[in-house]
Each structure stands twice: as C-alpha cells, then as structure tokens.
Amino acid sequence: EEDVYFSELTGGKTISYNNVGKVQLTFLRLLSESGRQNFTVSCKNFVAWFDSKNNNHEKSMILQGDNEQEFSFESNKSKLKIIKDGCKDKGDEKTIFEIETDKLNQLPIVDFAPRDWDRDAEFGF
C-alpha cells in the first residue's frame, strides 16, 4: 500500500511558512550549522506515531522535508525525536515531533503522510 501525502489529498496542500521568505530562509541556512523544528499534530481517533492498541509503529506518520527527504519510523529515525505522543491511544490529544539535522535543506517540513485512515479519524497541524 502506497503512502499518500497530505498535498495529494482532495483539499490538501503543502505546508507554507508565510512569515519566512525564501531569501530569509537561505540566509538562515548559510549562517547555521544545524536546524531544529517541532511539528505538532492534533488528533482524535488517529495514531501519529506509536499505536498502543496494536503495540507497533505501522501507522506512524511520515514527515517530508523541503528537499523531499522523509523522516519516519523507517527512515532517518535518528533525526526524529518524539517530545510527546498523546495520539498513541487515539484520544483527543496531540503528538509533537522534533526534527534536528545538520543538513539544513531538509527543513522546514513541507508535507506529511498520515497512515491511520478510518472513518472517525480527525487530525490537524
């Protein structure tokens, strides 16, 4: 089963950062040795990282960086830290991802693939 990114869904889009221009982002990259970004997902009946019911990460989200680099349980997990995993029990909660990298063109996060789809799932970012 192929993962579908939010930007590919009907009504979906890539994530934009209106307060940061391309020139400003380029200078930030030139003047920095590493970058870190938090990405917060609000959820209801939706697993973002760990699925406590099934005791696995099969429904964990994939985050996509600016250079199309993926951050997930399967790839680049060493650069991904989970600050809070409130979505693991499918409650009305939030999960906070933190990405830290010295490859600055990987940030910011511009898209994500939600994998926990069912009729009652709700999420926001």
Side-chain angles (χ1 to χ4, degrees):
E1 189 174 312
E2 194 171 317
D3 295 310
V4 178
Y5 279 86
F6 183 69
S7 63
E8 300 168 332
L9 298 172
T10 304
K13 60 182 181 189
T14 56
I15 301 166
S16 60
Y17 298 87
N18 296 331
N19 297 340
V20 181
K22 285 223 178 269
V23 173
Q24 186 179 9
L25 192 55
T26 300
F27 274 112
L28 274 172
R29 287 176 176 153
L30 289 171
L31 299 171
S32 303
E33 291 182 14
S34 67
R36 180 172 54 218
Q37 179 181 0
N38 284 6
F39 186 80
T40 302
V41 179
S42 301
C43 55
K44 188 174 182 180
N45 303 316
F46 178 81
V47 169
W49 185 248
F50 183 71
D51 183 348
S52 62
K53 181 181 175 192
N54 295 306
N55 200 32
N56 63 39
H57 290 87
E58 287 179 17
K59 296 178 180 177
S60 63
M61 291 176 60
I62 301 171
L63 305 180
Q64 186 182 60
D66 199 28
N67 67 345
E68 298 188 2
Q69 179 72 57
E70 291 184 345
F71 299 92
S72 69
F73 185 74
E74 296 86 8
S75 114
N76 283 313
K77 189 168 67 170
S78 63
K79 297 177 181 178
L80 192 58
K81 188 164 122 186
I82 307 305
I83 305 293
K84 176 182 180 174
D85 193 7
C87 301
K88 65 184 176 188
D89 298 316
K90 290 196 169 202
D92 192 355
E93 253 289 0
K94 66 182 175 183
T95 291
I96 303 171
F97 297 88
E98 181 182 85
I99 300 95
E100 188 163 10
T101 180
D102 56 1
K103 295 184 174 121
L104 299 174
N105 61 344
Q106 294 178 333
L107 296 177
I109 297 300
V110 295
D111 209 349
F112 62 94
R115 291 169 154 172
D116 187 19
W117 286 111
D118 65 34
R119 178 180 283 201
D120 300 323
E122 295 177 29
F123 65 89
F125 59 93

